[in-house]
Amino acid sequence: MTGTEDLPDDVKGMPPSRKGAKRKTEIIDAALRIIGRDGILAVSMRAVAVEAAVPLGTVTYYFSNKEELIEAGFQRHTQRETTRIVTAIARLGTLTRADAARGLADFVIEGLTEYREQLITEYQFLNASVRRENLQRASTAWLQTLAAHLEERLTAFSSSIPKTDAKLILSVISGLEVDNLIAPLGPADERAIRAVMERLFQGLGQLWSQNED
């Protein structure tokens, strides 16, 4: 079922009717499906109309061009993904370091299995942001928000440089995601992801322990 509750206010601002907001949501979701399946270059107003099973005029009523539609899709994706990521980060403050490593490994594995298409869409957006200034601004702000949430939690582990440690952890997570998006995740891949996260937190734990002495 397609919902509208996770749409940003500026995306669902026009038109005000529930029916109109639902239709706009369906168009954005259609664009996201195309991006996840065929890549961002496959997005066109006509292709989105076909995917959403609506007349082309309906798409152009809500969005003046495909760049506006792509940006709306990115906003919706980041709002959905931020909820998932922030929830995972919030749990870190109540966990031991070993449990934190397992928790983040679980997060990576979940993304590569249950949210694989969503993750593919995310990296399509991030790659496209290199050449699209509007996406570049949005993606930079989004990544900074995620880093800030993680920095706050890392202070509970006695990190003296939480900003650097947060960047390191997010970089490792991104690397694991990209490396494992090529093919469906298998048991050996899951074990490798857990081993990497465990080793990362072992190394960071040694540094954090020095700060506690």
Side-chain angles (χ1 to χ4, degrees), residues 67-184:
E67 293 302 321
E68 183 181 324
L69 176 53
I70 288 171
E71 186 171 3
F74 182 70
Q75 290 174 352
R76 178 159 197 185
H77 168 80
T78 56
Q79 188 154 343
R80 286 172 168 170
E81 191 67 0
T82 296
T83 299
R84 191 174 77 88
I85 296 173
V86 170
T87 298
I89 291 174
R91 297 192 188 106
L92 297 183
T94 62
L95 300 176
T96 65
R97 292 167 187 168
D99 287 337
R102 284 190 287 271
L104 287 180
D106 288 341
F107 170 81
V108 173
I109 292 168
E110 177 189 61
L112 290 165
T113 52
E114 297 179 36
Y115 297 93
R116 187 169 186 273
E117 184 175 337
Q118 191 168 313
L119 204 56
I120 290 172
T121 301
E122 177 178 317
Y123 282 102
Q124 290 281 351
F125 278 126
L126 293 177
N127 287 336
S129 70
V130 175
R131 295 180 177 86
R132 285 177 162 86
E133 187 176 347
N134 57 336
L135 289 184
Q136 188 177 81
R137 291 193 300 269
S139 61
T140 298
W142 179 55
L143 293 173
Q144 288 175 343
T145 297
L146 298 183
H149 280 283
L150 185 54
E151 288 170 34
E152 182 180 352
R153 290 298 172 178
L154 290 179
T155 57
F157 292 136
S158 301
S159 171
S160 61
I161 45 174
K163 186 172 184 177
T164 299
D165 289 344
K167 187 172 183 178
L168 173 61
I169 291 171
L170 290 175
S171 296
V172 171
I173 289 174
S174 295
L176 289 171
E177 289 173 341
V178 171
D179 286 349
N180 288 282
L181 275 176
I182 299 172

Side-chain angles (χ1 to χ4, degrees), residues 2-5 7 12-26 62:
T2 300
T4 62
E5 64 278 354
L7 278 173
K12 62 183 179 183
M14 189 282 292
S17 70
R18 181 176 299 179
K19 182 179 178 180
K22 182 177 184 295
R23 179 58 57 86
K24 194 171 187 179
T25 300
E26 291 168 348
Y62 294 114

Side-chain angles (χ1 to χ4, degrees), residues 10-56:
D10 58 340
V11 174
K12 62 183 179 183
M14 189 282 292
S17 70
R18 181 176 299 179
K19 182 179 178 180
K22 182 177 184 295
R23 179 58 57 86
K24 194 171 187 179
T25 300
E26 291 168 348
I27 292 170
I28 294 172
D29 284 344
L32 289 174
R33 288 195 300 273
I34 291 174
I35 293 169
R37 184 182 65 231
D38 304 320
I40 203 164
L41 294 178
V43 175
S44 70
M45 304 297 268
R46 190 172 300 278
V48 171
V50 172
E51 182 72 24
V54 299
L56 177 60

